[in-house]
């Protein structure tokens, strides 16, 4: 075994071998994979081997498509058979609600290049003869589903990597990992030590244990997962003889089942409600090519549905039940990327759909390691989407919930209860007492809307029970004054002698003067957006060089990783994520200033405190920081304070606002309000795949400033070339449902773009969608349609904001 390497990959399952292959293919050949046993010894060897392109996140779906297309290449390069069978498949719906969801899948597939087609239950039964069509209301045909040989694929990756110069060391157990003073990693094994610049934790079932070696507690948990294999079935033999091919895959979402042919019989797997974690706290190192004891009683309810939906199973025997552990993250997506605070340490774990996602994970991680960027928008898989709040107990609760709901519908207005409440603010109980219906953002409870007693969300793809109540919240803001909590924003304090110069290089905007704020895009080296912030210069006498950055709360870890990566080495700049050390409230509406004037002695007139001003003052008895800005697009103020003052400030504002009809509003009303202003949001309109010109943020880019900010050359090139896309706002002609994101945008009969977000703008009484289309059609007056729940709805571009297009209310 070599003593030094550029990269050590830990774990010889399909993910680790994929990472090794992709590094070697990209030219990093001084790489070695360490496996404590044989390759495939963890979850890989007993996997059912299915593969598919469908995913809730379109960017992950693209990587899944890449993974499936990669198998031919690695088979040819390695000479190792992968056993790939592209059979196609059907996704089945037993309810109209499920069928509505599948129609959204089809629409998404149109702009992803996936071959999907809505078909009837009868047509599905003609393609997959074991189906009882009377049990279903419809289906979707997918041409790219299939299955493979898990061992063959893993060895193909490993052999291909070896041919390219990589090394694989089997029976080499990693026992500890130590970071050296020069930043390199000392990987200690039972066969000696390797000094490496980079370490990749692809430990699978042992990912937690590998993480703990460097002080990292990863949010992953293994669950027992069962599938059965039947005896040979005459129905299978008849179909094979008649059709000359295998029976296609089937996913029965409402039955929580997946099926495929296995030799002369069938394989049926389930994600049962009565699930069971495996080895909750530590994973035994001596576990290997072993199976767990089957528990058919636990999956019996699912099998009963399966036998009803697929009657041929009633007449056949069960040859084998496979029960083995698979690891999951709390939301079911992988954990991939660099770990904040551990330079050179990377993770690629929690990849439960390894044969659909393993290739994409390997590609993204190798790109990230070599080029500093994953080459795709993989936010849904980024390990940075979790913070320290994702504890072991939280992970246990959320993984169990996710497992039991893997095939369940997640409606756009549905909030899942497991692991909650975890983080709350001081006014949580006050808001709950007013009827707040909470969602969760980065572990924090946030008010979505306020329900009268006896009213709650009824989950639906269409407008639901919250509709009229959110409308009243919007009305309160537009015609009076509303109060909402803003504690879920990320808040960063930047200080130091070098802070101004550092921010000038980090952010693409012109820096504001003391007491002022500005919108501040942040770019990657390729000129694409990696952040969208409000930057406030809060320097004052005696405290020079102090700044506040406000941004998306869910991206706190993501952005701190970027900030810290670019900090100067001389200690002249310090940045701190304030989290709940600072909490917030916001008031907005035409009467907002009148309320504010009653709770502070400071002059907050427009002349003394104009739009985008910020200053420290007292609200009631509490010291606060007040910013003249609002995401509602109305006259508004954001108020920041230490948590011990939030209740006092809340009471002061509510009492002062009584005569003006003050009311509470939540994030659903805020969404309706921002749509009227054509305001985008991070992780929807603003993502690392869009440039500032494409996203409409170019007006905030200081192209001519002296500082050579990150991405400046690329941003200038985009400006000169014009970019490929444009973000546009559309008005839909639809009367019972609104977009949620990822719907297809049609133009003159062809799919040309996609929706990023939207909803109902209650004050304007219009259905609104934001989305990207090619530049050459971005200003066409007509010809647009948006596909919503299987129907192409007429749509028209809304170039000017529906509300306050001249900025009179916001700036007045």
């Amino acid at each position: 075994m070599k003593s030094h390497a550029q990269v050590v990959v830990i774990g010889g399952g399909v993910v680790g071998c994929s990472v090794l292959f992709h590094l070697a293919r990209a030219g990093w050949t001084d790489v070695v994979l360490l496996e404590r046993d044989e390759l495939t010894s963890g979850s890989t060897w007993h996997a059912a081997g299915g593969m598919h392109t469908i995913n809730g996140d379109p960017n992950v779906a693209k990587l899944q498509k890449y993974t499936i297309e990669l198998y031919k290449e690695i088979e040819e390069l390695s000479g190792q058979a992968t056993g790939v069978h592209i059979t196609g498949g059907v996704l089945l719906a037993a309810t109209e609600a499920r069928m509505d969801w599948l129609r959204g899948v089809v629409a998404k597939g149109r702009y992803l290049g996936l071959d999907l087609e809505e078909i009837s239950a009868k047509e599905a039964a003609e393609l997959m003869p074991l189906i009882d069509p009377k049990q279903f209301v419809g289906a979707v045909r997918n041409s790219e589903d299939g299955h493979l040989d898990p061992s063959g694929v893993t060895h193909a990756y490993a052999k291909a990597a070896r041919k390219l110069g990589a090394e694989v060391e089997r029976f080499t157990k990693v026992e500890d990992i130590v970071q050296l003073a020069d930043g390199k990693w000392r990987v200690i094994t039972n066969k000696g030590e390797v000094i490496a610049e980079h370490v990749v934790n692809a430990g699978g079932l042992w990912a937690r244990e590998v993480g703990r070696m460097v002080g990292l507690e990863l949010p992953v948990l293994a669950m027992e997962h069962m599938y059965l294999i039947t005896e040979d079935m005459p129905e299978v033999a008849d179909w094979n003889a008649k059709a000359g091919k295998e029976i296609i895959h089937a996913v029965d979402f409402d039955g929580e089942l997946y099926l495929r042919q296995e030799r002369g019989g069938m394989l049926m797997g389930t994600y049962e409600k009565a699930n069971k974690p495996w080895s909750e706290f530590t994973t035994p190192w001596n576990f290997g090519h072993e199976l767990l004891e089957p528990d058919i009683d636990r999956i019996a309810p699912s099998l009963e549905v399966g036998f009803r939906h697929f009657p041929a199973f009633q007449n056949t025997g069960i040859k084998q039940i496979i029960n083995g552990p698979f690891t999951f993250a709390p939301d079911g997506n992988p954990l991939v990327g660099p770990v904040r605070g551990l330079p050179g340490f990377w993770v690629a774990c929690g990849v439960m759909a390894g044969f659909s996602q393993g290739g994409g994970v390997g590609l993204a991680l190798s790109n990230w390691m070599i080029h500093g960027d994953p080459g795709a928008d993989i936010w849904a898989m980024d390990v940075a989407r979790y913070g320290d709040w994702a504890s072991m107990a939280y992970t246990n609760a959320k993984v169990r919930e996710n497992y039991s709901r893997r095939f369940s519908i997640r409606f756009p207005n549905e909030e899942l209860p497991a692991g909650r409440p975890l983080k709350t603010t001081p006014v949580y109980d006050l808001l709950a007492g007013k009827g707040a219906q909470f969602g969760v953002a980065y572990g924090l409870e946030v008010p979505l809307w306020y329900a009268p007693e006896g009213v709650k969300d009824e989950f639906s793809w269409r407008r639901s029970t919250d509709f009229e109540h959110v409308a009243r919240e919007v009305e309160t803001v537009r015609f009076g004054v509303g109060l909402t909590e803003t504690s879920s924003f990320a808040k960063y304090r930047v200080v130091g002698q070098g802070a101004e110069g550092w921010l000038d290089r980090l952010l693409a905007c012109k820096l504001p003067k003391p007491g002022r704020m500005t919108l501040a895009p942040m770019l990657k080296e390729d000129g694409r957006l990696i952040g969208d912030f409000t930057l406030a210069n809060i320097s004052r006498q005696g405290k020079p060089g102090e700044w506040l950055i406000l941004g998306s709360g869910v991206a706190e870890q993501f952005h701190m990783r970027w900030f810290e990566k670019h900090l100067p080495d001389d200690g002249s700049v310090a940045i701190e994520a304030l989290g709940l050390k600072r909490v917030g409230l916001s008031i907005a509406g035409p009467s907002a200033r009148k309320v504010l004037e009653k709770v502070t002695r400071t002059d907050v007139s427009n002349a003394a405190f104009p739009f985008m001003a910020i200053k420290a003052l007292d609200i009631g008895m509490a010291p606060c920081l007040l910013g003249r800005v609002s995401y509602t697009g109305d006259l508004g103020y954001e108020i920041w304070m230490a948590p011990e003052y939030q209740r006092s400030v809340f009471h002061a504002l509510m009492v002062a606002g009584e005569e003006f009809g003050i009311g509470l509003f939540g994030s659903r009303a805020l969404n309706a309000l921002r749509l009227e202003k054509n305001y985008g949001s991070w992780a929807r309109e603003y993502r690392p795949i869009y440039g500032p010109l494409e996203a409409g943020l170019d007006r905030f880019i200081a192209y001519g400033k002296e500082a050579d900010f990150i991405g400046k050359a690329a941003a200038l090139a985009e400006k000169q070339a014009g970019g490929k896309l444009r973000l546009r706002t559309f008005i839909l002609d639809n009367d019972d449902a609104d977009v949620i994101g990822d719907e297809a945008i049609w133009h003159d009969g062809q799919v040309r773009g996609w929706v990023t977000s939207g909803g109902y703008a209650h004050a304007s009484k219009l259905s609104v969608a934001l989305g990207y289309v090619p530049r050459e059609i971005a200003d066409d007056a007509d010809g647009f349609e948006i596909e919503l729940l299987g129907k192409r709805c007429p749509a028209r571009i809304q170039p000017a904001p529906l509300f306050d297009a001249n900025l009179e209310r916001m700036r007045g």
Side-chain angles (χ1 to χ4, degrees):
M1 182 177 71
K2 60 168 64 180
S3 61
H4 290 76
Q6 190 172 10
V7 183
V8 168
V9 179
I10 302 172
V14 65
V15 174
C17 290
S18 171
V19 171
L20 189 76
F21 164 74
H22 281 89
L23 287 169
R25 188 180 68 172
W28 278 22
T29 55
D30 183 18
V31 293
V32 58
L33 182 147
L34 307 180
E35 165 55 45
R36 66 179 184 92
D37 203 311
E38 282 282 8
L39 299 183
T40 79
S41 289
S43 299
T44 298
W45 78 273
H46 60 73
M51 57 185 183
H52 54 87
T53 55
I54 302 301
N55 189 278
D57 186 287
N59 298 289
V60 176
K62 291 177 187 176
L63 291 176
Q64 292 184 187
K65 182 177 173 65
Y66 163 81
T67 298
I68 293 172
E69 293 171 348
L70 178 66
Y71 289 137
K72 182 178 180 182
E73 177 185 338
I74 63 169
E75 186 172 82
E76 291 176 352
L77 179 59
S78 67
Q80 167 71 51
T82 58
V84 169
H85 296 243
I86 303 295
T87 63
V90 286
L91 310 174
L92 301 165
T95 66
E96 286 297 336
R98 174 62 68 181
M99 199 63 226
D100 279 342
W101 178 80
L102 286 176
R103 290 180 181 118
V105 171
V106 173
K108 188 185 303 180
R110 296 194 201 282
Y111 65 80
L112 291 174
L114 305 180
D115 183 15
L116 304 172
E117 179 189 9
E118 181 180 343
I119 60 176
S120 68
K122 181 175 181 294
E123 289 171 315
E126 292 169 356
L127 294 172
M128 205 285 190
L130 305 184
I131 294 171
D132 177 2
K134 295 190 294 294
Q135 303 293 328
F136 301 97
V137 300
V140 165
R141 177 197 58 77
N142 180 6
S143 66
E144 295 176 277
D145 279 7
H147 60 271
L148 44 69
D149 170 20
S151 178
V153 164
T154 305
H155 283 279
Y157 276 128
K159 288 181 179 180
R162 284 196 194 101
K163 283 192 173 183
L164 294 169
E167 297 183 22
V168 175
E169 295 287 344
R170 298 173 303 145
F171 305 105
T172 306
K173 179 176 175 285
V174 174
E175 296 179 336
D176 202 2
I177 306 170
V178 178
Q179 190 164 29
L180 303 175
D182 63 0
K184 292 183 179 179
W185 296 93
R186 178 175 164 229
V187 183
I188 303 165
T189 80
N190 60 336
K191 291 184 177 179
E193 300 180 358
V194 186
I195 305 299
E197 296 175 37
H198 302 272
V199 173
V200 178
N201 177 3
L205 291 175
W206 295 269
R208 285 181 308 185
E209 280 64 33
V210 173
R212 288 167 183 164
M213 293 177 186
V214 296
L216 178 66
E217 188 65 38
L218 288 165
V220 290
L221 176 69
M223 300 293 292
E224 294 190 15
H225 180 69
M226 280 181 278
Y227 62 86
L228 61 85
I229 299 172
T230 72
E231 303 284 355
D232 288 354
M233 299 172 65
E235 295 85 354
V236 172
D238 290 346
W239 174 262
N240 295 161
K242 172 186 170 185
K245 58 184 179 181
E246 286 183 277
I247 290 179
I248 64 173
H249 283 223
V251 177
D252 176 5
F253 291 100
D254 300 281
E256 298 167 337
L257 302 163
Y258 60 89
L259 302 91
R260 69 167 177 85
Q261 185 172 335
E262 174 68 16
R263 300 185 184 275
M266 292 293 294
L267 180 152
M268 177 188 285
T270 179
Y271 290 90
E272 70 280 4
K273 298 294 185 189
N275 54 65
K276 183 179 179 183
W278 177 76
S279 196
E280 294 180 65
F281 308 114
T282 58
T283 303
W285 287 104
N286 60 356
F287 186 81
H289 281 78
E290 303 160 55
L291 291 173
L292 307 177
E293 192 67 27
D295 185 358
I296 196 168
D297 290 340
R298 205 167 73 238
I299 63 173
S302 297
L303 297 184
E304 289 175 9
V305 176
F307 293 168
R308 186 168 69 252
H309 288 186
F310 307 91
F313 278 81
Q314 299 174 21
N315 305 316
T316 190
I318 297 174
K319 182 164 66 176
Q320 188 179 12
I321 297 177
I322 306 293
N323 186 16
F326 287 88
T327 55
F328 293 77
D331 61 3
N333 282 335
L335 300 174
V336 179
V339 176
R340 178 190 163 206
L342 296 174
F345 190 86
W346 306 76
V347 296
C349 52
V351 191
M352 62 78 48
F355 296 102
S356 297
Q357 299 173 343
V361 168
L363 175 68
L365 195 66
S366 64
N367 282 338
W368 217 334
M369 296 173 73
I370 296 169
H371 305 297
D373 187 274
D377 184 355
I378 66 161
W379 168 250
M381 299 194 297
D382 195 326
V383 65
R385 68 189 188 275
Y386 292 106
D388 293 342
W389 49 271
S391 63
M392 184 182 291
Y394 169 89
T395 298
N396 191 305
K398 294 304 288 187
V399 167
R400 296 189 69 168
E401 178 184 63
N402 177 269
Y403 184 96
S404 70
R405 293 179 50 88
R406 185 155 183 83
F407 285 160
S408 298
I409 295 173
R410 174 74 183 271
F411 290 99
N413 63 331
E414 184 176 8
E415 299 295 324
L416 304 182
R420 299 175 54 198
L422 177 58
K423 293 197 294 183
T424 58
T425 64
V427 296
Y428 172 78
D429 62 319
L430 301 179
L431 303 182
K434 299 288 187 179
Q437 305 298 297
F438 289 96
V440 66
Y442 203 61
L444 178 68
E445 297 293 317
V446 294
L448 302 174
W449 64 288
Y450 291 84
E453 189 173 352
V455 178
K456 61 180 182 178
D457 268 325
E458 291 181 4
F459 306 139
S460 174
W461 297 111
R462 291 169 169 79
R463 295 168 192 160
S464 188
T465 47
D466 68 329
F467 189 76
E468 62 180 287
H469 307 293
V470 171
R472 276 199 288 271
E473 294 174 25
V474 168
E475 183 180 5
T476 296
V477 174
R478 285 291 185 245
F479 297 101
V481 58
L483 183 150
T484 192
E485 189 180 24
T486 56
S487 301
S488 62
F489 286 19
K491 301 149 298 268
Y492 311 93
R493 180 173 175 264
V494 183
V495 295
Q497 185 178 1
E500 182 171 346
W502 179 69
L503 288 169
D504 210 17
R505 183 177 182 276
L506 188 78
L507 302 174
C509 62
K510 181 181 179 181
L511 299 190
K513 300 295 185 183
R516 300 292 296 168
M517 297 184 290
T518 191
L519 294 179
M522 184 167 70
L523 308 181
K524 300 185 296 172
E525 286 82 355
D526 64 2
R528 302 289 176 171
L529 292 164
I530 197 169
D532 161 51
F533 305 105
T534 300
L535 173 67
N537 187 337
I538 56 175
S539 301
R540 55 190 187 276
Q541 190 171 2
K543 279 198 172 183
E546 185 173 0
W547 305 76
L548 179 69
I549 302 175
L550 302 168
S552 169
V554 298
E556 180 183 290
Q557 193 88 338
F558 174 83
H559 284 135
M560 278 299 290
R561 186 175 64 193
W562 181 265
F563 294 149
E564 291 171 346
K565 176 183 176 181
H566 292 90
L567 282 175
D569 296 329
D570 61 7
S572 63
V573 182
I575 184 168
E576 178 189 8
L578 296 174
L580 293 183
K581 293 178 184 177
R582 288 293 180 272
V583 293
L585 298 169
S586 177
I587 55 173
S591 297
R593 184 182 289 117
K594 296 174 185 176
V595 174
L596 197 58
E597 287 172 337
K598 294 186 67 174
V599 294
T600 185
R601 295 181 61 205
T602 302
D603 185 356
V604 290
S605 66
N606 193 45
F609 196 62
F611 180 62
M612 298 302 277
I614 189 167
K615 68 170 63 175
L617 47 68
D618 292 344
I619 301 291
M621 298 182 290
C624 298
L625 189 65
L626 180 73
R628 170 82 186 277
V629 66
S630 173
Y631 196 45
T632 66
D634 215 316
L635 170 66
Y637 304 86
E638 290 178 357
I639 308 164
W640 304 100
M641 67 224 72
E644 57 266 31
Y645 298 120
Q646 192 186 33
R647 292 174 74 93
S648 173
V649 174
F650 177 84
H651 283 302
L653 292 169
M654 293 299 288
V655 170
E658 281 181 8
E659 67 176 283
F660 306 107
I662 195 169
L664 299 175
F665 68 101
S667 60
R668 290 184 185 170
L670 184 61
N671 183 63
L673 293 161
R674 65 101 183 176
L675 290 173
E676 291 190 317
K677 292 291 292 181
N678 296 1
Y679 287 169
S681 62
W682 180 254
R684 299 304 304 180
E685 286 71 42
Y686 311 139
R687 299 184 72 145
I689 54 176
Y690 305 124
L693 177 61
E694 294 176 327
L697 295 179
D698 53 307
R699 64 190 185 278
F700 304 113
I701 304 294
Y703 293 100
K705 75 175 179 177
E706 185 176 342
D708 187 21
F709 60 84
I710 297 171
K712 183 176 183 178
L716 283 167
E718 183 206 30
K719 182 182 180 183
Q720 184 175 4
K724 295 180 179 179
L725 302 170
R726 288 292 185 274
L727 177 63
R728 289 292 182 259
T729 301
F730 296 87
I731 304 301
L732 273 72
D733 182 8
N734 195 52
D735 58 5
D736 71 336
D738 305 291
V739 301
I740 58 173
D742 299 327
E743 293 85 359
I745 301 175
W746 294 71
H747 182 264
D748 289 346
Q750 292 184 308
V751 174
R752 301 298 304 277
W754 55 89
V755 172
T756 49
S757 69
Y760 193 78
H762 289 273
S764 300
K765 296 181 170 53
L766 293 169
S767 186
V768 179
L770 275 65
Y772 281 90
V773 294
R775 180 183 65 180
E776 59 268 21
I777 64 170
D779 296 314
D780 285 9
D782 50 32
F784 287 102
E785 298 171 299
I786 292 178
E787 188 169 351
L788 179 58
L789 300 177
K791 183 175 73 171
R792 283 158 58 177
C793 304
R796 65 183 186 277
I797 288 178
Q798 178 67 32
L802 291 165
F803 172 76
D804 195 29
N806 296 322
L807 308 180
E808 295 172 1
R809 280 269 285 268
M810 188 167 67
R811 295 178 181 270

